[in-house]
Amino acid sequence: MTDRTDGHAEGQGRVYQSQGDQHISEHHHYGGGRPERGGPDSVRRPAVGRPPVVLRDRSEVMERLRASVAAERGGQVYVLYGMGGSGKTAVACALFQEVALQQGRVGLWVNASDRASLRAGMLAVAADRGARDAELLAARNGLRPAADLAWAYLHRSVEPWLLVLDNTDEPEILRDGDWLRTSPRGTVLVTTRRAAARWWPGAELQYIGVLPREDAALVLRDLAPDSGTTEQAARVADRLGRLPLALTLAGGFLSWQVIDPWTMDTYGDRLDGDERVQLIDRGADALSEADPRHLVGLTWQLTLDTFEARRLPEAVALLRLLARFAAEPLPLTLLDHAGIGAVLPRARTETALRALLDQSLSELVDAAGARCVQSHGILLDSVSAATPADLVTTLDTTAVRLLDAAVPGVPDAGPHDPRLRLLVPHALALLGHVGEPSAADALAAATRLAVALHRTGDYLSAWETARNAADLARRHLGADHRAVLAARSRAGRALFRLGRYAEAEAALRAVRDAQGRLFGAGDPDTADSGYGLQLVLANLGRRDESVALLRDTVAARRSALGPAHPLTLRARAGLLETLPAADVAAEEGGSLLTLPSECERVLGPDHTVTLGARHNHAWALYLLGRFDEADREIRQVVEAYERRFGPEYPVVLAARQLLSRTRAALGHVDEGIALMTEVVERRERGLGPEHPFTVASRRLLDAHRSGGRRP
């Protein structure tokens, strides 16, 4: 690495390698105020709605768990396993509340149902235990291992803790990054349907089964005390297989009857007379005919029949719509959209939701600072399986329209937004449900969500979302569909940002070749993949290929989109940074050096592309030896970046690094040293002392101190 190590950021977030020099040359897509940490509220409370009125028949389990989190003990992993709906989360929630209220331990609750939720939750744990914004940002960017960061702060926690990993029904995701560890500072409690010992080495497993007859009857009596005697409740409980989820649904139904209340006996008779609904419990073992999970479907069907009889068909329609999404917190704002009118009147959404809440079919939860609705996965699977075929297309179309409206229409640079991650499981669930008519639209929304995640620095979630979405949609659309190729291109871009250059090159080259063959070399999608590919080639040291491809991208975008389109201007700004100084002045007949003014006139002074063009322009001026001009411009860019991003963000540090160069070049060496000292300190905190960015910054600092100017 030579002395041209800068840390500049422009475009889409890369580290540019030119003649052995490392040069960060692309925006990291953050902005819009100070960073949001997804703070303690996201993990200090269980991500569940109403806990059970009384936790029945779990006294032995609770005693064992209480002993495990005693103040003088730590380092254990306990696994609660059992069939869906058996009450594992209820046990974990009860322990969590006791720990937080009575034992002086910190309770930390993480939804581990998918990779994105697990990673976001564990980074929120790290933030709660003291991790700094720069460290969290680097972990989201893929610049440091997220699991290592989270566990480092759990190990050094002053307060003892209980960490709950809820809904860990895909335990293989825990191994991807080594998320499940132990620490003497706390106890880990896992809930799962997967009990194979190979997933939980060294852990103590505890089975959570159905309730004894007496306790099952008491659950019904807790929820509907006026509906019958304990013996009548016991007979209903037997009919429901004593499964806590089925009991909760039945109790909610019975407690809701006002005008013509049902008795326990009436309810039991209706159960015996209706066998229409069967349950699909995805991800669990095959069901036997006697398995009590079959009865969950029958339980909610009785409730839906009552909704229809009482002229509340909107509640039925809303539950069927919710069943198109995932069994994860769904932001309520997604339902507050005119597009819901195809399934139920928008004005009746509130009434329908209240009916579901009253019947315990759904619950309100807070997640990532957003009010959400959530239903049990078994219930949603059962509802989905029983939805009449003639309603499916309308439900799919409406669900896709609601998701599409919830994703930013034109994703731009912004701060980390944990609410975006909430949409990921729902986008993927939709792609798993929808048929061919809605698949392309659903994939387009999922891909745009991946872009939004990418541009807030959550590159891992962006990659996983785009990759999984393309795989799910391929079965309907085929590998060569435009939307599938666009999703794979976005996945390649995220791989690049994660530093996986060889994989990114292979993915982007394959996609670009296919797009060129199918749509033409000048197609906007082909140009987008070409833009991403040239970033990778630059980082692999293949400068000539990168520059040639970037010029092709500029030409294609200018032809297809017009000279004033933001993507065209962004590609041209890339030329400002990548070309040698001697070529910059001659490029485009000399007009390239006026690009910032053009961007400001077309897009405005605060647009992301405008700021990136000015940043690159300052770099070009520096290389041309026009230090006064470069210094004035980069100082203004630093001020704009700091207002937008805060002091820790990579693009801010890159700009301050360039400012240190211009100050030193103008003879203000002490000021240059002070600027670089701060950059090095911040990069060491965020990335560690051995990261290439930190090493490059430290070398520039050493050069300033030795009195030399690094060109």
Side-chain angles (χ1 to χ4, degrees):
M1 186 178 300
T2 70
D3 57 358
R4 280 189 54 197
T5 303
D6 177 53
H8 179 159
E10 185 284 322
Q12 301 298 321
R14 63 172 169 168
V15 179
Y16 177 57
Q17 193 76 21
S18 174
Q19 297 177 346
D21 304 330
Q22 190 175 62
H23 188 61
I24 307 173
S25 60
E26 179 180 352
H27 282 307
H28 292 261
H29 291 295
Y30 312 105
R34 297 306 301 262
E36 299 178 16
R37 298 177 62 165
D41 286 345
S42 64
V43 290
R44 286 292 188 99
R45 293 178 295 178
V48 299
R50 294 170 293 181
V53 177
V54 179
L55 188 67
R56 297 292 182 184
D57 184 51
R58 305 301 186 196
S59 57
E60 181 179 347
V61 174
M62 287 296 294
E63 284 301 321
R64 292 177 62 198
L65 293 174
R66 288 187 188 105
S68 74
V69 295
E72 67 275 7
R73 298 181 61 187
Q76 295 86 28
V77 175
Y78 289 84
V79 176
L80 305 181
Y81 73 95
M83 68 178 68
S86 61
K88 305 179 293 295
T89 295
V91 173
C93 184
L95 180 68
F96 188 97
Q97 292 175 323
E98 285 190 17
V99 164
L101 293 175
Q102 300 173 18
Q103 296 191 16
R105 284 193 173 228
V106 173
L108 304 165
W109 188 283
V110 172
N111 173 19
S113 61
D114 59 84
R115 285 180 173 84
S117 299
L118 172 65
R119 184 169 52 253
M122 290 298 286
L123 287 178
V125 165
D128 182 272
R129 296 293 82 206
R132 302 189 184 195
D133 290 330
E135 296 173 303
L136 298 168
L137 177 61
R140 282 192 294 269
N141 288 353
L143 298 176
R144 64 183 304 167
D148 289 352
L149 177 68
W151 278 99
Y153 277 94
L154 285 169
H155 289 324
R156 70 180 69 161
S157 174
V158 175
E159 302 164 291
W161 43 262
L162 168 69
L163 172 64
V164 176
L165 301 178
D166 191 33
N167 292 324
T168 316
D169 295 330
E170 297 182 33
E172 52 269 26
I173 69 176
L174 295 178
R175 293 185 178 178
D176 183 10
D178 192 21
W179 288 104
L180 183 59
R181 309 182 191 182
T182 60
S183 171
R185 299 302 302 147
T187 299
V188 180
L189 180 65
V190 179
T191 71
T192 183
R193 289 185 291 176
R194 305 278 290 279
R198 69 179 185 276
W199 296 118
W200 317 110
E204 184 170 337
L205 275 67
Q206 172 65 54
Y207 177 66
I208 304 296
V210 300
L211 296 172
R213 190 172 193 265
E214 179 180 351
D215 289 286
L218 289 175
V219 169
L220 288 172
R221 296 273 292 152
D222 290 337
L223 295 168
D226 300 324
S227 297
T229 66
T230 300
E231 180 54 34
Q232 290 172 323
R235 288 197 293 270
V236 172
D238 285 340
R239 184 66 183 83
L240 294 175
R242 307 194 304 277
L243 185 69
L245 174 60
L247 297 170
T248 299
L249 297 178
F253 173 88
L254 290 166
S255 67
W256 195 63
Q257 311 300 307
V258 177
I259 298 176
D260 184 20
W262 289 25
T263 64
M264 294 281 184
D265 285 342
T266 302
Y267 192 87
D269 291 342
R270 291 296 298 272
L271 287 173
D272 289 331
D274 195 335
E275 296 288 354
R276 289 175 295 169
V277 181
Q278 295 298 305
L279 174 69
I280 299 173
D281 186 8
R282 297 177 184 146
D285 297 333
L287 306 184
S288 67
E289 288 300 318
D291 196 300
R293 287 174 288 178
H294 283 294
L295 299 170
V296 173
L298 177 58
T299 302
W300 67 256
Q301 185 63 52
L302 291 180
T303 303
L304 299 193
D305 289 346
T306 302
F307 285 154
E308 296 280 8
R310 295 191 176 184
R311 297 183 180 180
L312 271 174
E314 298 88 356
V316 181
L318 180 58
L319 186 58
R320 286 172 174 154
L321 180 62
L322 293 177
R324 311 316 289 172
F325 295 105
E328 305 296 338
L330 181 74
L332 289 176
T333 53
L334 185 141
L335 301 176
D336 187 20
H337 186 269
I340 204 171
V343 171
L344 72 154
R346 186 181 185 183
R348 297 286 290 171
T349 305
E350 176 83 15
T351 301
L353 181 59
R354 288 189 179 279
L356 298 183
L357 297 174
D358 287 342
Q359 289 283 304
S360 298
L361 293 168
S362 300
E363 57 185 356
L364 294 179
V365 299
D366 291 325
R371 295 180 67 239
C372 301
V373 61
Q374 186 172 13
S375 301
H376 199 287
I378 292 179
L379 173 64
L380 294 184
D381 286 344
S382 180
V383 171
S384 179
T387 297
D390 61 332
L391 300 179
V392 168
T393 298
T394 299
L395 289 167
D396 286 348
T397 302
T398 302
V400 171
R401 185 178 298 124
L402 296 180
L403 176 70
D404 183 78
V407 178
V410 182
D412 192 14
H416 170 62
D417 185 354
R419 291 167 296 185
L420 283 175
R421 198 268 312 154
L422 291 178
L423 299 176
V424 171
H426 302 296
L428 298 180
L430 264 181
L431 282 164
H433 282 304
V434 299
E436 184 176 351
S438 298
D441 290 338
L443 179 56
T447 303
R448 203 168 73 252
L449 176 59
V451 174
L453 291 163
H454 185 113
R455 292 180 177 173
T456 61
D458 194 348
Y459 301 119
L460 280 169
S461 294
W463 172 62
E464 291 166 353
T465 302
R467 179 193 57 165
N468 291 330
D471 289 343
L472 287 166
R474 179 179 177 178
R475 61 196 172 98
H476 288 307
L477 302 177
D480 287 341
H481 192 279
R482 180 182 287 273
V484 174
L485 290 170
R488 297 214 183 281
S489 179
R490 176 49 54 182
R493 294 281 285 275
L495 281 172
F496 161 67
R497 287 302 296 132
L498 293 170
R500 295 160 63 174
Y501 298 148
E503 295 173 76
E505 181 189 4
L508 289 167
R509 191 177 294 282
V511 169
R512 181 173 179 268
D513 288 347
Q515 290 169 328
R517 171 173 50 84
L518 295 166
F519 316 131
D523 184 83
D525 284 1
T526 309
D528 284 347
S529 297
Y531 183 81
L533 180 57
Q534 63 87 21
L535 297 173
V536 181
L537 295 175
N539 281 273
L540 292 173
R542 290 145 66 179
R543 177 188 178 123
D544 291 342
E545 291 179 74
S546 174
V547 170
L549 190 50
L550 182 55
R551 284 187 167 128
D552 288 344
T553 302
V554 170
R557 285 181 171 175
R558 182 181 277 123
S559 175
L561 305 175
H565 194 281
L567 292 179
T568 305
L569 296 172
R570 173 171 285 165
R572 291 178 62 200
L575 288 171
L576 258 180
E577 188 273 330
T578 59
L579 291 174
D583 294 344
V584 169
E587 187 74 18
E588 300 182 358
S591 64
L592 190 60
L593 284 173
T594 65
L595 181 61
S597 299
E598 185 177 349
C599 291
E600 184 169 346
R601 184 178 68 255
V602 174
L603 303 175
D606 296 324
H607 195 281
T608 302
V609 172
T610 302
L611 291 176
R614 294 184 62 197
H615 191 164
N616 284 1
H617 186 244
W619 171 251
L621 292 174
Y622 173 79
L623 292 181
L624 289 167
R626 296 160 61 175
F627 302 131
D628 282 317
E629 297 172 77
D631 187 73
R632 285 194 299 271
E633 182 143 44
I634 194 59
R635 186 180 296 278
Q636 293 170 359
V637 170
V638 167
E639 292 171 355
Y641 278 164
E642 288 184 337
R643 287 194 304 269
R644 187 168 179 180
F645 302 125
E648 300 281 357
Y649 279 67
V651 70
V652 177
L653 299 182
R656 291 177 68 84
Q657 184 159 302
L658 178 53
L659 179 59
S660 81
R661 287 181 180 274
T662 62
R663 298 312 292 161
L666 291 170
H668 306 292
V669 177
D670 288 344
E671 187 177 349
I673 290 173
L675 284 164
M676 276 313 302
T677 299
E678 184 178 2
V679 169
V680 169
E681 290 174 353
R682 291 186 185 277
R683 282 188 164 159
E684 285 180 342
R685 286 200 299 267
L687 303 175
E690 303 305 320
H691 192 280
F693 294 1
T694 308
V695 172
S697 295
R698 194 181 300 116
R699 287 182 178 175
L700 180 57
L701 175 59
D702 291 343
H704 286 337
R705 286 172 172 164
S706 67
R709 181 179 70 80
R710 307 191 74 173

